[in-house]
């Protein structure tokens, strides 16, 4: 590959510089400026857990106003802390205030300690990590921001980021924030069709991507996927292509080499002063209907909530190395890899690899090598590693660890115990954290709490400051007292809550504010224990959670509907030992055929190409008919009972159009099971 000297220099500067293995402490100045004041890191007023909790519960708005003044760097102060009407799905925070999120995440720290490490890029290949200081990240961000501007990206424009996790992808997010553009990060595992759908829904003007991605020793053809996606996206004017590998990819008319442009760009970019309620980003997430929804988060409230929860749930102390292994394509990556840690001036790990590459000791080898203090990951990975045995953990020194966190799905007791005792040696705080794309940050977690307060295994337990959980019964009445269950709602707005669904506020109202007027409905059920702690019991709608990836069963059904020989499908989630849940599909064929194996393979390929590989059903069962009510609704509840073999509790089947269908499906399932086990 013919590299010009300039290009070679840029590549060195951006993807392999500084050289691997630089010692993180060298040049740090953070230890001397710990405990920053207003605009340093998220900070609560003098007091303690009890005082804050009491104040936040008594006067949430006053509480948040005070914290917002003390935590964020404002261009101009807000005049009204909160204006909300939950029944109509509106909440606006810090009205009249102006600020820039990238200034809060970068410039304020550069001013005080430019050489503090902002990011440690733990690249796919072990031992090749790259340290990026706050000054370097600001430089990257400004160059990227100026490049976007040069190509006509303005305040309010939408930019898709389809990249694996890296300093450059973080800089891309912050560059958008710097110029007031709205980013929508799309997980690098999504197919071209999923990418196109999101680009079209949001009307993105540009995509930022890599030539290729690298994960688990394998190459991901990212640019090719973008090429395929943008064919059907007329709104896209430019595709910015960065180089993650040395391989050359085909460059078309609207493709721009990102590093070449950044090398020419000015390293200073004046930040755009944004209104508190301007959109910061869209992030697509699954709901119970087929079309993913573009969740809208705004500037000040989101940033404040991410920063405060990052600091107080994990007890982040200045100088700690914070290791959240989530991808930036999910909300966990947004809030706890990028915005929360950087707003707090933290050192955040960017994990590019997988838990099992090159072997199942990877996480703990990283903990040892980078001296990670807080480790935040998903139960699915813990369950996977648990099966590989504890030798992989014990091989490495984990004494740097203070706090462990779990997110994304329920953590079962076995995984919790293993995480706590084997990984954490029984001396680390383990936090089961519950929250959602829509909540912006952690809402229920065992910490913060009174010092030495008890932690019950596998339970999220306590609401964060200013979060008021409420349980509802089937009649829409608040369930009082303890030892009770219900639909989990939140009674008062909080700064991190989503503001709307992009382009469809009515859908926002219908999904979250209609079922229980005056409350935010989470879609999850919960149990309040005898002692008043919260335990999440799972989704109450047709959303399933595969390896911590949220997915609507309707999305899978819609994808499979493309198959000409399969007129009807019904997908449900079923308990899966490692993934938490897997997808189980029931299909009806147009006509009897001997080619069901071919059809099943075709269906799997369709789902992979229309959504993503993780969405492919583990099981596909051919049935003659689906169980339907007289009004034609598929009774998924019965299908769930069949595969969990809870036949004694089938419940009411009288609304079925033809109750004999149950026996029919049961027989088909029994045969399927015998066949698969033989
Ligand atoms: C952060 C994130 C949200 C859904 C949520 C729940 C489930 C998340 C937990 C959990 C039990 C937990 N955002 N969920 N955390 N269930 N215990 N600690 O995951 O938007 O992608 O998913 O995930 O059902 O509604 S998300």
């Amino acid at each position: 590959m013919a590299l010009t000297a300039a290009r070679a220099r840029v590549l060195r500067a951006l993807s392999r510089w500084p050289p691997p293995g630089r010692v993180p402490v060298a040049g740090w100045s953070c230890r001397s400026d710990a405990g920053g004041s207003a605009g340093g890191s998220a900070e609560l007023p003098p007091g303690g857990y009890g005082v804050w909790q009491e104040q936040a519960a008594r006067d949430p708005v006053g509480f948040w106003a005070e914290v917002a003044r003390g935590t964020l760097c404002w261009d101009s102060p807000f005049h009204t802390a909160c204006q909300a009407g939950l029944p109509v799905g509106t909440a606006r925070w810090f009205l009249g205030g102006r600020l820039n999120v990238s200034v809060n995440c970068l410039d304020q720290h550069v001013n005080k300690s430019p050489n503090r490490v902002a990011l440690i890029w733990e690249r796919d290949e072990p031992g090749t990590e790259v340290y990026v200081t706050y000054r370097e990240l600001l430089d990257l961000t400004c160059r990227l921001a100026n490049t976007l501007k040069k190509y006509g990206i303005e305040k309010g424009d939408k930019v898709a980021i389809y990249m694996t996790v890296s300093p450059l992808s973080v800089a891309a997010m912050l560059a958008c924030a710097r110029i007031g553009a709205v980013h929508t990060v799309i997980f690098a595992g999504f197919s071209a069709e999923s990418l196109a759908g999101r680009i079209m829904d949001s009307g993105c003007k540009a995509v930022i991507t890599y030539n290729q991605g690298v994960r688990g020793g394998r190459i991901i053809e990212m640019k090719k996927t973008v090429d395929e996606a943008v064919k059907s996206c007329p709104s896209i004017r430019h595709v910015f292509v960065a180089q993650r590998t040395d391989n050359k990819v085909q460059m078309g008319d609207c493709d721009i080499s990102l590093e070449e442009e950044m090398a020419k760009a000015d390293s200073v970019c004046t930040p755009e002063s944004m209104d508190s309620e301007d959109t910061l980003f869209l992030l697509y997430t699954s709901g119970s209907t087929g079309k993913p929804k573009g969740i809208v988060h705004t500037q000040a409230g989101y940033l404040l909530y991410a920063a405060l929860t990052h600091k107080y749930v994990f007890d982040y102390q200045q100088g700690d190395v914070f290791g959240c292994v989530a991808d930036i394509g999910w909300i966990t990556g947004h809030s706890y890899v990028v915005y929360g840690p950087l707003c707090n001036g933290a050192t955040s790990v960017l994990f590019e690899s997988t838990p099992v590459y090159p072997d199942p000791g990877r996480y703990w080898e990283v903990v040892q090598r980078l001296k990670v203090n807080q480790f935040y990951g998903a139960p699915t990975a813990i369950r996977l590693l648990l099966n590989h045995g504890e030798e992989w953990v014990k091989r490495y020194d984990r004494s740097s660890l203070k706090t462990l966190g779990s997110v994304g799905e329920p953590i079962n007791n076995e995984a919790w115990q293993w995480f706590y005792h084997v990984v954490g040696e029984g001396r680390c705080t383990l936090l089961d954290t519950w929250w959602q794309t829509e909540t912006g940050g952690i809402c229920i977690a065992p910490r913060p709490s009174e010092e030495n307060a008890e932690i019950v295994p596998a339970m999220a337990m306590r609401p964060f400051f200013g979060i008021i959980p409420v349980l509802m019964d089937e009649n829409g009445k608040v369930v009082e007292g303890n030892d009770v269950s219900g639909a989990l709602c939140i009674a008062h707005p909080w700064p991190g809550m989503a503001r709307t669904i992009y382009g469809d506020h009515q859908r926002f109202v219908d999904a979250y504010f209609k079922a229980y007027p005056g409350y935010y409905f989470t879609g999850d059920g919960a149990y309040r224990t005898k002692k008043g702690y919260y335990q999440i019991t799972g989704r109450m709608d047709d959303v399933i959670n595969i390896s911590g990836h949220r997915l609507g069963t309707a999305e899978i059904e819609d994808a499979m509907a493309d198959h000409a020989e399969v007129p009807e499908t019904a997908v449900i989630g079923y308990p899966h030992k490692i993934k938490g849940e897997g997808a189980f599909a029931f299909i009806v064929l147009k006509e009897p055929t001997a080619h069901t194996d071919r059809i099943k393979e075709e269906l799997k390929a369709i789902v992979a190409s229309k959504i993503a590989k993780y969405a492919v059903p583990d099981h596909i069962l051919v049935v003659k008919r689906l169980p339907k009510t007289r009004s034609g609704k598929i009774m998924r509840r019965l299908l769930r009972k069949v595969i969990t073999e809870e036949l004694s509790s089938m419940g009411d089947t009288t609304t079925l159009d033809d109750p004999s269908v149950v026996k029919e499906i049961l027989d088909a399932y029994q045969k399927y099971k015998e066949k698969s086990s033989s």
Side-chain angles (χ1 to χ4, degrees), residues 592-615:
T593 162
H595 303 296
T596 53
D597 286 345
R598 168 184 57 82
I599 292 175
K600 285 182 188 179
E601 288 315 307
E602 285 165 357
L603 285 171
K604 288 182 179 178
I606 290 175
V607 175
S609 84
K610 288 189 80 98
I611 309 175
K613 279 204 189 101
Y614 71 81

Side-chain angles (χ1 to χ4, degrees), residues 41-306:
S41 83
E43 204 64 38
L44 289 168
Y49 176 78
V51 175
W52 297 328
Q53 185 65 324
E54 189 277 325
Q55 195 203 334
R58 181 172 35 85
D59 174 19
V61 174
F63 171 82
W64 287 114
E66 194 172 347
V67 180
R69 282 188 207 103
T71 295
L72 300 179
C73 295
W74 296 91
D75 296 342
S76 37
F78 55 90
H79 53 70
T80 307
C82 178
Q83 216 173 51
L86 284 193
V88 287
T90 57
R92 305 198 296 152
W93 284 88
F94 314 123
L95 288 90
R98 301 194 77 81
L99 80 174
N100 183 283
V101 166
S102 79
V103 168
N104 275 273
C105 290
L106 299 171
D107 305 60
Q108 63 150 334
H109 310 306
V110 173
N111 292 340
K112 283 188 274 183
S113 35
N115 296 326
R116 184 190 298 170
V117 174
L119 304 173
I120 308 176
W121 186 19
E122 173 61 20
R123 303 199 307 167
D124 195 46
E125 222 37 65
T128 66
E129 70 274 18
V130 172
Y131 288 83
V132 180
T133 65
Y134 272 91
R135 193 213 313 258
E136 289 160 354
L137 186 57
L138 177 60
D139 182 287
L140 280 179
T141 300
C142 287
R143 286 173 189 273
L144 216 159
N146 284 326
T147 302
L148 294 177
K149 270 171 125 172
K150 174 176 165 189
Y151 285 93
I153 305 296
E154 293 172 359
K155 182 174 174 178
D157 285 344
K158 315 290 182 302
V159 176
I161 299 177
Y162 187 69
M163 299 172 97
T164 44
V165 66
S166 73
L168 209 51
S169 44
V170 175
M173 294 165 76
L174 294 170
C176 290
R178 193 150 194 98
I179 64 173
V182 174
H183 62 69
T184 178
V185 182
I186 296 144
F187 174 56
F190 276 122
S191 66
E193 199 157 322
S194 290
L195 176 58
R198 285 155 171 80
I199 290 174
M200 280 192 289
D201 186 76
S202 54
C204 288
K205 260 194 180 170
V207 188
I208 309 177
T209 191
Y210 269 122
N211 63 334
Q212 295 176 317
V214 187
R215 196 158 181 269
R218 281 207 289 267
I219 296 285
I220 314 169
E221 296 293 348
M222 310 193 64
K223 169 68 164 53
K224 273 196 194 135
T225 308
V226 172
D227 286 346
E228 204 184 318
V230 298
K231 273 190 218 152
S232 54
C233 301
S235 62
I236 294 293
R237 308 223 183 120
H238 304 290
V239 176
F240 296 93
V241 186
Q243 295 282 131
R244 174 60 186 88
T245 65
D246 287 336
N247 299 327
K248 225 177 167 173
V249 291
Q250 187 85 39
M251 294 290 272
D253 289 343
C254 58
D255 300 339
I256 294 160
S257 163
L258 185 61
E259 288 98 338
E260 278 175 20
E261 288 294 333
M262 285 173 68
K264 290 186 269 179
D266 195 340
S267 63
V268 176
C269 174
T270 309
E272 190 73 37
S273 189
M274 304 297 287
D275 188 279
S276 294
E277 282 297 328
D278 282 333
T279 300
L280 176 61
F281 65 83
L282 311 180
L283 186 61
Y284 283 82
T285 191
S286 297
S288 45
T289 61
K291 202 170 155 250
K293 35 197 180 185
I295 298 296
V296 172
H297 282 289
T298 58
Q299 315 267 330
Y302 168 79
L303 184 66
L304 177 68
Y305 196 73

Side-chain angles (χ1 to χ4, degrees), residues 312-368:
Y312 287 94
V313 172
F314 297 100
D315 189 24
Y316 182 86
Q317 304 289 329
Q318 205 57 266
D320 285 349
V321 174
F322 189 78
C324 169
V325 291
D327 192 276
I328 52 158
W330 311 111
I331 190 69
T332 308
H334 282 61
S335 301
Y336 301 110
V337 174
V338 182
Y339 289 112
L342 295 183
C343 186
N344 288 332
T347 296
S348 181
V349 175
L350 307 177
F351 186 69
E352 189 185 37
S353 196
T354 81
V356 289
Y357 182 77
D359 59 53
R362 180 61 182 268
Y363 276 168
W364 325 118
E365 190 269 321
V366 170
V367 165
Q368 171 181 295

Side-chain angles (χ1 to χ4, degrees), residues 411-634:
I411 179 162
N412 49 314
N413 193 53
E414 188 192 7
W416 194 98
Q417 297 294 349
W418 190 83
F419 203 6
Y420 182 76
H421 291 288
V422 179
V423 176
E425 301 171 306
R427 53 166 191 84
C428 300
T429 306
L430 171 49
L431 308 168
D432 175 7
T433 64
W434 175 88
W435 59 296
Q436 310 175 294
T437 307
E438 296 87 338
T439 68
I442 295 165
C443 286
I444 308 183
R447 296 277 189 270
S449 65
E450 297 287 2
E451 216 160 304
N452 299 322
E454 76 167 326
I455 291 185
V456 182
M459 213 185 275
M461 300 182 75
R462 302 180 176 91
F464 191 70
F465 301 128
I467 299 292
I468 304 165
V470 169
L471 301 179
M472 298 285 182
D473 68 16
E474 295 103 46
N475 306 316
K477 294 255 160 5
V478 174
V479 187
E480 308 277 0
N482 289 342
D483 194 15
V484 289
S485 298
L488 178 64
C489 293
I490 300 177
H492 193 279
W494 65 101
M497 68 185 287
R499 300 302 193 257
T500 189
I501 290 172
Y502 185 71
D504 198 349
H505 190 69
Q506 193 54 49
R507 188 173 174 199
F508 186 65
V509 175
D510 292 348
Y512 306 107
F513 301 96
K514 213 169 168 180
Y516 306 99
Y519 298 87
Y520 166 79
F521 173 46
T522 64
D524 283 314
Y527 165 66
R528 190 162 49 226
T529 69
K530 291 196 176 85
K531 290 183 176 174
Y533 303 139
Y534 290 89
Q535 178 167 40
I536 311 302
T537 47
R539 295 292 304 192
M540 299 180 74
D541 53 15
D542 291 318
V543 171
I544 60 175
N545 200 318
I546 303 179
S547 305
H549 300 335
R550 178 170 155 180
L551 202 67
T553 51
E555 280 175 76
I556 308 178
E557 292 168 6
D558 284 2
M560 293 197 296
D562 266 24
H563 199 294
E565 293 164 87
V566 185
E568 272 191 306
T569 67
V571 174
I572 56 169
Y574 75 100
H576 186 286
K577 218 171 164 272
I578 297 205
K579 299 195 280 189
E581 274 184 299
F584 196 118
F586 294 81
I587 63 167
V588 176
L589 299 176
K590 202 165 177 184
E591 46 205 41
T593 162
H595 303 296
T596 53
D597 286 345
R598 168 184 57 82
I599 292 175
K600 285 182 188 179
E601 288 315 307
E602 285 165 357
L603 285 171
K604 288 182 179 178
I606 290 175
V607 175
S609 84
K610 288 189 80 98
I611 309 175
K613 279 204 189 101
Y614 71 81
V616 172
D618 302 312
H619 299 284
I620 301 178
L621 175 62
V622 179
V623 291
K624 281 205 203 88
R625 299 174 294 167
L626 293 171
K628 285 188 187 166
T629 61
R630 264 166 255 140
S631 58
K633 278 208 174 111
I634 298 172

